[in-house]
Amino acid sequence: MGEIGRWAILFLLFVVPYTFLMSALGGWLKNRRLAAAGRAGMVAAVFLATVASVSLLYLLVTDDFRYQYVVNYSSSNLPLIYKIAAFWGGSAGSLLFWSWLLSIYSVLASFLKHRQREVMQPVVTAVLSAILFFFVLVMNTIAHPFELARVQVSEGNSLNPLLQNPSMMVHPVNLYLGYIGFAVPYAYGIAALLTNQTGATWLKVTRRWTLVSWLFLGVGILYGSQWAYEELGWGGFWAWDPVENAALLPWLTSTAFLHSAIVQEKKGMLKGWNMILIMVTFVLTIFGTFLTRSGLLFSVHAFANGPMGTYFLTFVGLIVIFSLAVLVWKWPLLKGENQMEAVASKESSFMINNLLLLGSAFTVFWGTMYPIISELVTGEKMTVGAPFFNRVNVPIFIGVIVLMGVAPLLAWRRSSFRLLRKNLILPAALAVAFLLIAYILGLRGWLSLFSFASGLFVAVIIVLEFVKAVQARQKMTGEPLLLSFFRLFQRNRRRYGGYLVHLAILLIVFGYTGASAYEVNVQRMLHPGEQMQVGAYTLTYEGLEETGDAFRTEIFANVIVEKEGQRLVVMRPEKVFYTLGGQPSTEVAIYHTWLGDLYLVLGGWDEKTDAAVFQAMIFPLINWVWVGTYVMIAGTLIALWPERPRLEESRDPGLPKTLQGAAARGR
């Protein structure tokens, strides 16, 4: 199977350029046969990438240690689930996984049906095949997943213990699906420019692609946060690590793009702005991959450094130069059809939302790259930590949250201040009341309190929007309450699915704010039989035990947890030592409740007395983050679900007004 995979990757080196050439000529000459040949080439690329991927999975699952990749990232005792995860656990395998997913995305995008398909499709396929060729080239030169082992061995090094976590099956896969997915709207944006089709068609065709990619990337970030929380053993969930930041950057810019795209769809405005946003988003996905693989910045998430960083940096440069050249060349076509008329309007609120999100993205980018910039300028590498990122980004995020509540209440073009004031009185009053009560109760930290207050403000607005809509529907149809509520989603999935996503963001904000601002942290050495108090919990240390097998040894502590005299649970934090070598891993013990987690880490011990060092923490509301993740998935899926086309939704800003009605009726 290894030879089959090697030949499949080699054939990709010829099939992908053929696909690019046929598609590019088909688009330039407007030749259907050449365009069809390009699509056939992409189908062949999918087949070859699939063959190579299946081959590597087979080698991993069957412990074929003749191949260096299997030696580096697997072992015979590794559970099957982690042998599969080893596919993307190493640099070469992850590049093959990326190429496989990109080929699937590309062939699906190449066969999308829409009114401007014949004009745009060949260019889309050409752009996607050019992107795919880069990854195929890297695999065939410096990161071959089917390289034979330099020394024949009977056992592998196994997967990094830190990666042996169920989140490893979800976190990287979702990140890749998110990163790669943005190639499709980018390709359509380039195609729209090169074919002079700069109306809203390319946005409508790629809206679901963008939303799906945004969801995958967001879920990947959140599962990565959960992985760090459960696996790394340092008691955190977000460290503003360079690779974490690299994933956050395109998520921020794509969030801005999703909102500004609505303005172009509805009003024919922000055409150039949307092109810039999707280009920046795609460039940031490749830039994030560059940071992961270059070794330029230290990260617990990064692959080993090597020449690959130079390849990716060159690729980023080529994408930037090409995108800017096309954008400048076609800029006259991107003139908006309307102008913003008032600050109190939906389009203005979306623009302010965009500016805040981009401000946050710039801050994250600057803080991430500051060590490199400082070393270039001063010769000394200086870093910025979490306080910098929090101090700048938290106020920005609070502004974004407030806009999440205000924007849905605003009308297009111009809003009535009187009506807006009426709709905001109750949510604002409740937010102010919360601040006063929290202060009286002794809660401090103004940024944290404002985070909660702004979230409450938006939550009340969203609930009131649902209440008003349900009441109006009941009055009109006479339906029961629950039926009327569920049919709101059937009637306008995009709007009410969006509201659910906003509620999910609020849950995530509440969870992170509570866990960050009101964390309890106690560290003590205990002898067997001694107790320590952590918040309302009493922890009694019973002693150490040892277990294991031929491949690992586990040392764990038994700690009884009580609250108000009632025994709740026995927690067992542990250290794991591996026979095959490598650093020991820390396995934390977590007691989950809706109000917060009790988090216990075994730091070390005295082998003579069994005295052990424990770090115990309480993270209030942290589980709301994980609940918010699933609410976000549900809301996005609802927004994605197709609706019946309606006349007002069928208007294409790229068509003359006299033809819009006819186009709508013809759909």
Side-chain angles (χ1 to χ4, degrees):
M1 288 297 287
E3 280 298 294
I4 294 174
R6 186 175 70 83
W7 280 104
I9 288 178
L10 183 61
F11 283 139
L12 278 170
L13 200 57
F14 300 95
V15 170
V16 176
Y18 166 83
T19 302
F20 171 79
L21 184 61
M22 292 298 102
S23 299
L25 288 174
W28 183 30
L29 302 174
K30 296 180 174 55
N31 187 305
R32 293 186 179 182
R33 292 181 63 183
L34 290 175
R39 291 194 297 273
M42 190 58 77
V43 172
V46 171
F47 172 75
L48 290 171
T50 302
V51 168
S53 299
V54 170
S55 298
L56 185 57
L57 278 170
Y58 178 83
L59 297 180
L60 289 165
V61 170
T62 58
D63 302 324
D64 194 335
F65 298 119
R66 292 176 300 163
Y67 292 88
Q68 191 64 45
Y69 190 84
V70 183
V71 173
N72 290 343
Y73 300 104
S74 186
S75 61
S76 58
N77 68 307
L78 193 66
L80 177 61
I81 186 174
Y82 297 128
K83 289 182 179 179
I84 296 172
F87 180 18
W88 50 81
S91 184
S94 67
L95 284 173
L96 175 56
F97 186 58
W98 184 298
S99 302
W100 179 52
L101 292 177
L102 179 57
S103 68
I104 294 172
Y105 274 25
S106 299
V107 79
L108 292 175
S110 297
F111 285 91
L112 280 179
K113 293 184 178 180
H114 51 88
R115 286 181 300 165
Q116 295 171 353
R117 177 175 183 266
E118 288 190 10
V119 177
M120 298 178 69
Q121 176 271 315
V123 182
V124 170
T125 305
V127 172
L128 291 171
S129 59
I131 297 168
L132 177 59
F133 179 71
F134 167 76
F135 292 95
V136 172
L137 180 65
V138 173
M139 281 194 297
N140 276 279
T141 52
I142 60 170
H144 208 300
F146 296 100
E147 178 188 359
L148 290 172
R150 292 177 285 273
V151 177
Q152 291 300 310
V153 296
S154 58
E155 186 57 82
N157 299 329
S158 195
L159 189 65
N160 186 329
L162 293 177
L163 303 181
Q164 295 180 36
N165 181 284
S167 292
M168 185 61 184
M169 297 298 295
V170 182
H171 163 57
V173 175
N174 276 275
L175 284 183
Y176 288 141
L177 288 168
Y179 277 154
I180 299 164
F182 287 118
V184 175
Y186 169 78
Y188 263 94
I190 294 295
L193 289 173
L194 292 178
T195 60
N196 302 329
Q197 306 294 324
T198 56
T201 297
W202 76 275
L203 290 174
K204 293 178 180 179
V205 171
T206 61
R207 185 183 77 83
R208 288 188 174 87
W209 285 94
T210 307
L211 197 53
V212 166
S213 302
W214 175 88
L215 174 64
F216 278 132
L217 187 55
V219 170
I221 291 170
L222 290 167
Y223 267 106
S225 177
Q226 188 176 39
W227 167 76
Y229 178 67
E230 294 179 350
E231 189 65 33
L232 295 185
W234 53 277
F237 35 81
W238 188 265
W240 296 105
D241 176 275
V243 174
E244 292 174 349
N245 294 348
L248 180 62
L249 284 169
W251 187 86
L252 290 171
T253 56
S254 62
T255 303
F257 173 69
L258 282 168
H259 288 83
S260 63
I262 298 172
V263 179
Q264 183 175 340
E265 286 187 46
K266 297 290 186 181
K267 294 296 176 181
M269 301 161 62
L270 304 182
K271 290 183 179 181
W273 180 254
N274 283 323
M275 283 293 178
I276 292 171
L277 281 179
I278 195 57
M279 289 176 178
V280 169
T281 298
F282 178 66
V283 167
L284 287 174
T285 64
I286 304 299
F287 179 77
T289 311
F290 157 72
L291 282 185
T292 307
R293 299 170 191 277
S294 65
L296 209 58
L297 296 169
F298 173 76
S299 169
V300 69
H301 308 273
F303 294 105
N305 58 2
M308 198 177 299
T310 305
Y311 277 66
F312 272 91
L313 186 59
T314 303
F315 188 45
V316 169
L318 291 174
I319 294 171
V320 170
I321 293 170
F322 171 73
S323 301
L324 285 176
V326 175
L327 186 66
V328 171
W329 177 28
K330 296 291 185 176
W331 187 258
L333 298 175
L334 297 173
K335 184 179 180 181
E337 298 170 17
N338 296 289
Q339 299 294 325
M340 293 188 185
E341 300 181 16
V343 175
S345 65
K346 197 179 290 290
E347 51 266 46
S348 292
S349 69
F350 281 180
M351 193 64 212
I352 296 170
N353 158 283
N354 272 219
L355 294 175
L356 288 173
L357 289 169
L358 288 186
S360 174
F362 176 77
T363 300
V364 174
F365 179 83
W366 177 258
T368 303
M369 298 303 295
Y370 187 73
I372 298 172
I373 297 170
S374 65
E375 189 173 22
L376 289 174
V377 174
T378 67
E380 182 181 352
K381 182 176 285 190
M382 295 178 283
T383 61
V384 295
F388 165 79
F389 290 106
N390 291 332
R391 187 165 56 249
V392 178
N393 282 295
V394 170
I396 293 176
F397 291 158
I398 290 174
V400 172
I401 292 169
V402 171
L403 275 176
M404 280 170 48
V406 175
L409 302 178
L410 296 171
W412 294 104
R413 295 182 60 187
R414 189 181 300 274
S415 295
S416 164
F417 278 103
R418 183 183 61 82
L419 184 60
L420 184 62
R421 185 171 61 250
K422 178 183 176 182
N423 288 328
L424 293 179
I425 284 177
L426 179 58
L430 290 174
V432 171
F434 167 83
L435 285 173
L436 293 174
I437 293 171
Y439 188 79
I440 292 170
L441 293 176
L443 293 177
R444 295 296 183 266
W446 283 109
L447 282 179
S448 304
L449 292 177
F450 272 110
S451 293
F452 282 120
S454 60
L456 176 62
F457 169 78
V458 177
V460 172
I461 290 174
I462 293 174
V463 170
L464 288 176
E465 285 290 289
F466 273 108
V467 170
K468 292 174 184 176
V470 168
Q471 289 176 341
R473 185 172 181 86
Q474 281 187 295
K475 185 176 180 180
M476 182 176 64
T477 63
E479 294 171 345
L481 178 65
L482 283 178
L483 180 61
S484 184
F485 173 76
F486 285 113
R487 285 192 171 170
L488 283 180
F489 295 97
Q490 186 180 15
R491 176 63 178 165
N492 196 333
R493 295 186 178 98
R494 190 171 178 179
R495 178 186 181 90
Y496 293 104
Y499 280 157
L500 273 187
V501 172
H502 285 180
L503 283 173
I505 297 296
L506 296 182
L507 288 173
I508 293 168
V509 167
F510 289 156
Y512 278 143
T513 302
S516 301
Y518 304 107
E519 167 194 340
V520 176
N521 192 333
V522 179
Q523 185 168 329
R524 279 189 59 186
M525 174 181 280
L526 298 177
H527 290 83
E530 290 185 337
Q531 295 181 333
M532 63 187 292
Q533 194 70 27
V534 185
Y537 297 103
T538 301
L539 277 60
T540 305
Y541 171 46
E542 294 289 291
L544 295 173
E545 290 188 35
E546 180 178 326
T547 186
D549 53 33
F551 298 96
R552 52 192 279 162
T553 300
E554 302 170 13
I555 309 292
F556 63 90
N558 289 305
V559 180
I560 298 173
V561 179
E562 297 175 303
K563 185 176 182 180
E564 298 176 353
Q566 181 180 358
R567 180 166 170 163
L568 300 177
V569 69
V570 177
M571 300 181 72
R572 293 186 173 90
E574 63 183 50
K575 290 277 189 182
V576 183
F577 300 86
Y578 299 91
T579 306
L580 293 175
Q583 292 187 345
S585 64
T586 299
E587 300 295 330
V588 302
I590 306 175
Y591 176 63
H592 298 284
T593 73
W594 284 108
L595 293 178
D597 282 355
L598 174 62
Y599 187 97
L600 189 60
V601 181
L602 175 61
W605 58 88
D606 185 322
E607 294 185 359
K608 294 180 179 179
T609 64
D610 270 5
V613 175
F614 295 96
Q615 184 179 18
M617 290 165 277
I618 295 175
F619 293 110
L621 305 182
I622 186 63
N623 288 304
W624 292 24
V625 174
W626 324 133
V627 173
T629 302
Y630 295 104
V631 176
M632 185 172 76
I633 293 171
T636 306
L637 291 178
I638 290 171
L640 280 168
W641 202 262
E643 297 182 27
R644 294 178 184 177
R646 290 179 288 175
L647 181 61
E648 63 271 22
E649 294 175 348
S650 302
R651 298 190 185 276
D652 185 345
L655 290 176
K657 292 183 179 180
T658 54
L659 299 179
Q660 287 179 355
R665 289 190 295 272
R667 290 186 177 185

